[in-house]
Amino acid sequence: MVTTELRVLRYFLMVVQEKNISKAAARLHVSQPTVSRQLQELEAELGTVLFERGNRTIQLTAAGDYFANQAKQILSLTDKTMANIHQEQDISGAVFVGSAEARSMLTVAQAIGHLNQAHPHVQINLVSTDASEIHQQLSSGVFDFGVVMEPTDKTDYDFLRLPGESRWGLLVQSRSPLAQQATVSLEDVAHTKLILPQQGGSQRIHDLFGLEWADLDVTATYNLLYNASLLVSAGVGNALGLDGIINTNQSDLAFVPLEPRTSSGSSLVWLKGQRLSVAAQALLEQIRAELTPTEN
């Protein structure tokens, strides 16, 4: 309950800073309706109006200005207290994270690095896999967290949107005529031998690109792009995938981005209502810290 109330205060202060609920939600990596609902519930609980809502920006009422000053003091004291507690607390344990191949894993990696400095006895176990396996292992309790590519159904999950997006394109042999192009088109994709991602199957291919799986020349599928890259090197076909995963420098491969541009983001997910271990909770709070903008 205390954690939830403190989160509402952070939402409130971010809206005060941005003077716009949508901008605040984007910086907090949560949905705009979530922030709006939390503010409405906060005003109802306090029995007063905190904001004067205009067409483009919102301003604090007198009561809101007073509450903002109090909220800053509360969070400052809370953060200082929690920092002191964590310095004295020896957190240990194993945390399991199932992850898709995504550039946004960098945020999670940075959080793991900072967590390791503060609590070296926490062991993080990363498992590279696809969304289907992540959902299954989260449900069975094997994974504490998952990093999944969007779009994905998050009905049964709490989640944090991770920053950054990866662009879709074709991984081809460097001697291929396609490698000489700056971009590839959907027509290029439709007229080449393809190695396609298993995640989401034909529905995802249709939703992302408007292409019908049955109309494509699919020679193989994959759940990890590294394995698909070996198939590309062997001349099996060209892999449709995300950039930034395979390092093509000094290799026989090239990544050619798709035009029109198509990109996918990712989210950190965990089961709703799940009681996280102390170690898992520590990782979650560290990831939140990585996503929270700092004041100069």
Side-chain angles (χ1 to χ4, degrees), residues 168-274:
W168 286 88
L170 280 182
L171 190 64
V172 304
Q173 292 182 336
S174 55
R175 64 175 180 269
S176 166
L178 291 175
Q180 312 310 312
Q181 300 179 190
T183 60
V184 291
S185 65
L186 290 175
E187 184 176 359
D188 291 326
V189 172
H191 290 87
T192 189
K193 291 182 179 296
L194 286 172
I195 305 167
L196 295 182
Q198 294 172 2
Q199 180 179 336
S202 60
Q203 187 61 49
R204 190 170 190 227
I205 294 299
H206 179 270
D207 291 346
L208 282 170
F209 312 108
L211 298 172
E212 299 295 338
W213 189 294
D215 296 334
L216 303 174
D217 186 2
V218 182
T219 61
T221 65
Y222 71 90
N223 68 339
L224 294 175
L225 190 56
Y226 174 76
N227 291 334
S229 72
L230 300 180
L231 296 178
V232 176
S233 292
V236 175
N238 300 314
L240 185 64
L242 295 167
D243 68 346
I245 298 174
I246 301 299
N247 184 359
T248 58
N249 292 333
Q250 297 180 341
S251 76
D252 63 344
L253 301 176
F255 182 87
V256 189
L258 183 66
E259 188 65 42
R261 184 186 184 98
T262 305
S263 300
S264 291
S266 62
S267 294
L268 180 83
V269 298
W270 64 99
L271 282 177
K272 284 184 177 178
Q274 179 183 7

Side-chain angles (χ1 to χ4, degrees), residues 29-30 97-100 102 104-105 108 131 134-135 138 145-154 157-164 264-270 287 291:
H29 304 280
V30 297
V97 182
S99 177
S104 49
M105 263 300 294
V108 178
I134 288 172
H135 292 313
L138 283 171
F145 303 102
V147 176
V148 294
M149 301 303 299
E150 299 290 356
T152 190
D153 183 7
K154 299 188 288 293
Y157 302 95
D158 288 319
F159 68 95
L160 291 173
R161 292 195 182 277
L162 298 174
S264 291
S266 62
S267 294
L268 180 83
V269 298
W270 64 99
I287 294 172
L291 297 175

